[in-house]
Amino acid sequence: MDGAGHPPAGSAQSAGRLIGREYDLELIRGFVDEARGSGSALLLSGDAGVGKTVLLDAAAAHARGTGMRVVRAAGVEFESTIGFAGLHQVLHPLLGGLDRLADPYRGALTVALGLEQGPPSDQLLVSNAVLTLFVQAAEECPLLVVVDDLPWLDRASAVVLGMVARRLNGSRVGLLGAYRTEEGTFFGRAGTPEHHIRPLDATAATVLIQDRFPALAPRVRERLLAEAQGNPLALLELPIALRDTRRPLGAVPEVLPLSRRLQAVFASRVEALPATTRSLLLYAALDGTGDLRALAPAGTGPAGMRELAHAERAGLVRVDDGTGRLTFRHPLTRSAVVELSTSHQRRDVHRALAECWADRPERRAWHLAQAAVEPDEAVARLLEQVARDVVRRGDAGGAVAALLRAAELSPRGYDRSRRIAEAAYLGADLTGDLRDVPRLLEEARKADGGRAGPLVAAVAAAHHILLSGEGDLGTAHRLLVGAIEMQHRPYDATDTGMVEALHILAWVCHVGERAELWEPLHRALALLKPEVPDLLALSPTAMADPARMPPSALGVLDGLVASLDQETDPVRVLRIAVASLYVDRLAGCRTALRRLLRDGRDSSSVTLEIQGLVFLGRDCLAAGAWDELRTQADQGRRLGEAHSYQLMSAEFRYQQALVAAARGDEATVRALTDEIVLWARPRGVGAQLSCASHARALAALGRGRFDDAYRHACAVSPAGELASHRPVALALIMDLVEAAVRTGRLAEATAHAAAAHDTGVAAISPRLAMTVKASAALVTDDDRALGLFEEALAVPGTDRWPFELARVRLAYGERLRRAKSTTEARIHLGTALDTFESLGARPWAARAGNELRATGLSVGSAGATGLASLTPQQREIAMLAAAGLTNKQIGERLFLSPRTVSTHLHQLFPKLGVASRAALRDALADGDA
């Protein structure tokens, strides 16, 4: 919000007024006034000590003066690993409104806040519940939520509040937050207005220091001004550290950085307090909740409150009379309190706080962990349970922190290794921290005496190898198989670790594309009791041999796809999408994938965002949304390369290569597929090698290089068979058949069309049913071919695959032209041409256009306008529409679906310069004239 020409911003308080903050105050008061009427959010950023908290105080005071209710909270360093601790702070004054929430919202909040036990809460549901609670509170009077120290908010709270901040318009709720510029935060700042608080300019800084410290010697004052560099906190606090304000200039520390100098200032102010007051502050600092009950072990009776008053008078803390909560006026005060204590004192306080919060298992576990000196399995188990709880609430970062601390407290090497390895796996699978995985796995290995790690270590290592591409696929496979076969038999189907290992093994096998890789998985599934989980049972066919997927398995998959609207587990959503990929059911996953992509962005989960982009890209590819696909793939590649997701980056290259192939950009196809092969071949990633061959075959086919197309298609699956463990072969059925026919390999073409028919893939999806019929027509020389093409085009639902449908129409039109059925040929060739042109598939449009010219029609050039720019198909549709026929009637006459007719009309209106059907007749008449 700062722009050129704005006055320099800064903040400092003196005698109830702010010096040098006129512009900032005007802006913030304007924000409060706007939020009071229509809801809004604003973030303040700036260096430590620049005055963000003072401006928050001013905003809160202005809000109260206008009749707004103000709720305040602040991130707490100790609580940064405790899921939803910050949200509990924010919502504590509003919890009386819980009963007014709808049951799903009330349940989500009570579970997230740890008030009740229940199933895990979806972050989106929690954010909706928080927004509703805010809006309800604002019905009585407008509400301002003020949150300081955003970087110290726990991840789960920061994500939820970030989602709420972007949805406050029209709510009479304002959210004002602050964070240090140099510190990162999980609060999603994208889309939220920000205002950067600048240091004071030289004039304001001089006014401030002279106003507050008039007795300073000029030389000392000038030195402090130079050292502070406009930082108000330094200007206000450094003089206090100077016991003799007339001391010589050289007595002022010169080499310490500003942050350390300020921390020393705070320490000196804390040291001046009585020992009992410092003890109370240590309880408050290590607890971090602001709840005065946490001070009870140190004494909070009348005597204790008198002792606490010393800190209040010193300006270090304040106790809110309304809420009874204690807050430190600056986070460095809390740091100074802790630094001035001994380790023995800190452990004693943590033990006392663990007893104080005996009814809050998560908080109790963390305090016990901080109090522990020696390994303690009981505390380690408590922290491991904390990790389980918080990961179900969507806080993967908090779970990793809990597991790593649990590992430090593990007495046995095996348990330490297992917990470190699980932290590594969560880092790879949910948080996207791939670069930390090797270090953690090495620590896990050393913790267990260098022996082969536990199952979870193998899973984490394989996951890392697979995603990052830093090792070969064979290594990942051996790690997993070895760890699985070391487990007790029969394998336990209720053991989440075992099931996860088998899922990752299935993925490794799928990417490897070799039949022998699957054999250990088949053996393991046979030993899994009492029964194999549904999604795991689908893996051997959906991922390995989808061409032979039985109807019963397809039925199970259809049921899973239908249930996605209620599915909240992102990993399960992704696995249903994987199972749907090769059997043409991704369209049914689209809504869930978009939700997953949005949640991944909101929660800063790189893994979810990248994998969501992968499957949405495949869906766009099938649906002909190629421009959207290119945008998504570009974004996915950038994310993948930034976070070392090499496998995903290769997938995005494949998607981009397919679009380039269909559009005739052979240079791009060559560059992308060369990159894929260069990466995949030495690592044994067969799936990506097949993908590269697919893109190369399509590019060659479009350009009429049929020998090359045949060679690339056969590299995926030999002519005459649909190779098992090569799922991409399902996408190349018609490619291989057409390339074989065009190169005189009729026997091979016939064998491949027969293999597709005999395998039964036509029963899998409309696209495959159309492909099988069209392939059979291509290898049939007599009149039966026309009937087969008609059967292919009559398959319902094929318009969901526009490129494939247009290719069948092109092949049919070519056959009709050779059979002298010129009128019908023009219909199909014209429709195919329109589709290819709308997709930008230039080589295919050129083929269709050449065939249309061979029927005696002239095809409009790209530079033509008006009636000359219409394809024959478009011209016929325009004439029928001008005559008053409906889309349905036109479709019946031209053998098109009403939706296709509507698409053609949408495309031809701008060519004729009209906006409606009513203007078509005049436009056509003018064109004929």
Side-chain angles (χ1 to χ4, degrees):
M1 299 178 64
D2 290 340
H6 286 168
S11 109
Q13 189 167 2
S14 177
R17 65 191 178 95
L18 291 178
I19 295 174
R21 291 303 187 205
E22 293 78 14
Y23 172 69
D24 301 282
L25 283 172
E26 181 182 355
L27 183 144
I28 290 169
R29 287 167 180 162
F31 158 76
V32 171
D33 294 338
E34 176 188 357
R36 186 175 187 274
S38 59
S40 188
L42 177 66
L43 298 181
L44 303 183
S45 64
D47 297 333
V50 80
K52 301 181 295 297
T53 301
V54 174
L55 289 169
L56 294 181
D57 292 340
H62 179 70
R64 292 190 185 99
T66 64
M68 293 184 77
R69 181 180 183 181
V70 178
V71 172
R72 296 195 67 161
V76 178
E77 185 175 15
F78 171 72
E79 289 189 330
S80 62
T81 57
I82 300 176
F84 293 110
L87 193 63
H88 199 287
Q89 263 199 77
V90 173
L91 298 183
H92 186 269
L94 306 176
L95 292 180
L98 276 177
D99 291 339
R100 294 171 58 198
L101 294 178
D103 288 343
Y105 288 168
R106 185 171 59 254
L109 270 186
T110 54
V111 170
L113 298 177
L115 303 177
E116 293 180 5
Q117 296 295 317
S121 306
D122 176 69
Q123 279 184 334
L124 183 60
L125 189 62
V126 173
S127 69
N128 288 337
V130 171
L131 179 60
T132 304
L133 194 63
F134 284 170
V135 171
Q136 285 182 178
E139 290 173 358
E140 300 174 5
C141 69
L143 174 68
L144 179 65
V145 179
V146 180
V147 186
D148 205 353
D149 294 322
L150 287 175
W152 283 352
L153 276 185
D154 61 280
R155 181 174 187 154
S157 298
V159 168
V160 167
L161 289 173
M163 295 168 71
V164 170
R166 293 189 291 274
R167 299 155 65 194
L168 291 176
N169 288 340
S171 65
R172 298 212 310 166
V173 178
L175 191 150
L176 183 61
Y179 68 95
R180 294 183 188 178
T181 303
E182 69 272 14
E183 293 183 357
T185 172
F186 293 111
F187 187 101
R189 303 200 303 269
T192 304
E194 296 192 32
H195 176 60
H196 183 68
I197 309 301
R198 301 171 182 170
L200 292 173
D201 63 17
T203 301
T206 302
V207 170
L208 172 64
I209 201 166
Q210 287 181 332
D211 182 80
R212 291 294 300 271
F213 304 99
L216 278 177
R219 291 180 62 193
V220 173
R221 182 172 61 246
E222 293 301 316
R223 175 65 178 145
L224 292 180
L225 285 169
E227 286 287 312
Q229 295 182 354
N231 185 285
L233 187 62
L235 289 166
L236 294 173
E237 300 296 343
L238 279 175
I240 298 173
L242 302 175
R243 297 180 181 179
D244 180 3
T245 57
R246 294 196 265 289
R247 62 176 51 192
L249 181 66
V252 180
E254 295 182 3
V255 298
L256 294 177
L258 183 63
S259 59
R260 291 183 60 186
R261 185 166 65 246
L262 287 173
Q263 194 164 350
V265 169
F266 280 112
S268 67
R269 297 180 67 188
V270 173
E271 283 177 315
L273 296 172
T276 50
T277 303
R278 286 169 55 182
S279 177
L280 284 168
L281 292 184
L282 184 58
Y283 273 84
L286 293 179
D287 174 65
T289 66
D291 195 323
L292 290 178
R293 288 178 297 171
L295 279 58
T300 51
M305 295 307 294
R306 282 196 298 273
E307 292 295 334
L308 196 59
H310 292 298
E312 288 190 90
R313 283 194 294 272
L316 299 178
V317 299
R318 59 182 166 215
V319 178
D320 191 300
D321 292 333
T323 63
R325 301 180 77 81
L326 180 148
T327 57
F328 287 89
R329 289 188 177 271
H330 194 281
L332 287 178
T333 304
R334 183 184 300 112
S335 301
V337 168
V338 174
E339 282 199 1
L340 289 171
S341 65
T342 66
S343 61
H344 179 74
Q345 288 172 325
R346 292 193 293 272
R347 288 194 298 273
D348 284 346
V349 171
H350 277 301
R351 276 191 287 269
L353 289 171
E355 292 300 317
C356 177
W357 297 116
D359 59 337
R360 302 287 295 276
E362 185 176 331
R363 191 173 296 280
R364 175 174 177 267
W366 271 111
H367 282 301
L368 288 174
Q370 296 298 329
V373 179
E374 301 293 334
D376 188 326
E377 179 59 24
V379 177
R381 281 198 300 269
L382 289 175
L383 275 180
E384 189 170 359
Q385 184 56 50
V386 166
R388 302 277 183 274
D389 293 340
V390 300
V391 80
R392 285 197 295 269
R393 299 206 303 260
D395 184 12
V400 170
L403 283 168
L404 290 177
R405 180 56 179 153
E408 292 173 355
L409 295 174
S410 302
R412 297 186 306 163
Y414 175 84
D415 288 323
R416 186 177 302 119
S417 175
R418 176 177 58 80
R419 286 161 178 155
I420 295 173
E422 187 167 352
Y425 173 64
L426 285 177
D429 191 44
L430 293 179
T431 70
D433 297 330
L434 281 185
R435 291 187 176 93
D436 283 341
V437 173
R439 175 183 60 80
L440 291 174
L441 289 175
E442 178 62 16
E443 289 181 15
R445 187 188 67 81
K446 291 178 179 177
D448 201 18
R451 297 189 296 273
L455 182 62
V456 69
V459 171
H463 207 273
H464 178 260
I465 290 170
L466 195 61
L467 287 173
S468 70
E470 289 188 5
D472 65 278
L473 207 66
T475 300
H477 189 266
R478 286 192 299 275
L479 278 172
L480 279 172
V481 172
I484 290 168
E485 292 183 346
M486 288 173 61
Q487 307 306 305
H488 295 295
R489 302 182 184 185
Y491 303 142
D492 183 1
T494 65
D495 180 352
T496 56
M498 172 58 76
V499 171
E500 190 65 24
L502 293 174
H503 272 297
I504 301 300
L505 179 57
W507 193 15
V508 169
C509 296
H510 161 65
V511 172
E513 278 198 347
R514 299 196 303 276
E516 63 271 18
L517 295 178
W518 288 88
E519 292 171 4
L521 178 64
H522 290 303
R523 290 197 302 268
L525 293 179
L527 292 169
L528 198 60
K529 304 299 179 185
E531 62 181 358
V532 181
D534 51 7
L535 270 173
L536 191 55
L538 289 175
S539 297
T541 50
M543 298 171 69
D545 198 9
R548 295 163 184 83
M549 198 166 179
S552 58
L554 286 169
V556 171
L557 178 58
D558 286 334
L560 292 171
V561 172
S563 71
L564 278 174
D565 286 344
Q566 289 76 45
E567 184 57 66
T568 59
D569 182 351
V571 175
R572 192 167 170 83
V573 170
L574 288 171
R575 285 175 178 159
I576 293 172
V578 170
S580 303
L581 178 59
Y582 298 107
V583 291
D584 296 333
R585 280 155 172 80
L586 269 185
C589 306
R590 189 179 300 153
T591 301
L593 287 169
R594 286 175 176 164
R595 183 179 71 241
L596 182 145
L597 180 61
R598 182 189 63 236
D599 292 349
R601 288 170 177 165
D602 286 338
S603 64
S604 302
S605 173
V606 174
T607 307
L608 293 184
E609 185 173 357
I610 291 178
Q611 295 199 51
L613 286 169
V614 164
F615 292 109
L616 284 172
R618 290 286 192 112
D619 180 51
C620 287
L621 192 65
W626 293 353
D627 292 332
E628 181 182 351
L629 165 64
R630 290 180 64 180
T631 301
Q632 290 183 167
D634 284 338
Q635 179 186 358
R637 277 186 66 184
R638 286 194 299 271
L639 279 173
E641 289 162 4
H643 295 275
S644 300
Y645 280 73
Q646 297 301 322
L647 178 64
M648 301 305 184
S649 295
E651 165 66 27
F652 292 122
R653 288 186 179 92
Y654 165 56
Q655 294 179 11
Q656 291 174 320
L658 278 180
V659 173
R663 289 179 165 174
D665 184 357
E666 291 198 273
T668 297
V669 175
R670 191 179 308 110
L672 290 170
T673 56
D674 284 350
E675 289 176 12
I676 293 171
V677 170
L678 187 65
W679 176 80
R681 181 164 286 151
R683 293 166 175 81
V685 184
Q688 286 300 320
L689 295 176
S690 292
C691 289
S693 294
H694 180 197
R696 289 169 171 176
L698 184 61
L701 205 60
R703 291 296 187 184
R705 298 197 321 275
F706 300 112
D707 267 318
D708 289 342
Y710 181 78
R711 176 170 51 85
H712 291 309
C714 287
V716 177
S717 180
E721 69 172 286
L722 285 181
S724 65
H725 309 94
R726 296 286 181 90
V728 179
L730 282 178
L732 283 157
I733 293 172
M734 189 171 169
D735 301 57
L736 195 153
V737 170
E738 183 178 2
V741 169
R742 298 274 190 167
T743 56
R745 297 178 173 94
L746 188 58
E748 289 86 347
T750 302
H752 205 67
H757 177 271
D758 296 343
T759 307
V761 298
I764 293 177
S765 73
R767 178 186 69 84
L768 287 168
M770 175 181 68
T771 299
V772 170
K773 292 287 187 184
S775 296
L778 285 172
V779 299
T780 302
D781 283 333
D782 54 30
D783 291 341
R784 289 178 301 155
L786 302 182
L788 288 168
F789 274 120
E790 286 291 346
E791 290 177 24
L793 294 175
V795 175
T798 54
D799 55 349
R800 286 183 290 164
W801 294 271
F803 182 63
E804 284 80 0
L805 179 59
R807 284 185 58 187
V808 173
R809 288 192 179 277
L810 172 60
Y812 187 22
E814 290 171 340
R815 183 63 63 89
L816 286 168
R817 185 184 66 78
R818 291 199 299 272
K820 309 301 183 184
S821 299
T822 304
T823 301
E824 291 186 21
R826 289 172 176 172
I827 292 172
H828 293 289
L829 291 170
T831 303
L833 176 60
D834 289 346
T835 302
F836 292 140
E837 286 184 337
S838 68
L839 293 172
R842 291 186 297 274
W844 299 88
R847 282 181 55 181
N850 289 338
E851 288 291 327
L852 268 174
R853 292 186 188 94
T855 68
L857 283 181
S858 60
V859 180
S861 65
T865 59
L867 194 57
S869 68
L870 300 186
T871 66
Q873 181 77 63
Q874 288 177 334
R875 182 167 183 162
E876 191 164 5
I877 289 173
M879 293 174 65
L880 292 173
L885 274 68
T886 65
N887 288 358
K888 183 178 180 181
Q889 291 169 332
I890 296 171
E892 289 172 348
R893 182 169 297 192
L894 300 181
F895 306 101
L896 302 173
S897 70
R899 180 179 173 184
T900 301
V901 173
S902 176
T903 299
H904 286 312
L905 286 169
H906 179 73
Q907 293 169 350
L908 66 85
F909 280 169
K911 291 183 178 182
L912 295 178
V914 301
S916 67
R917 301 166 80 101
L920 277 175
R921 182 177 299 174
D922 292 340
L924 291 172
D926 292 342
D928 287 335

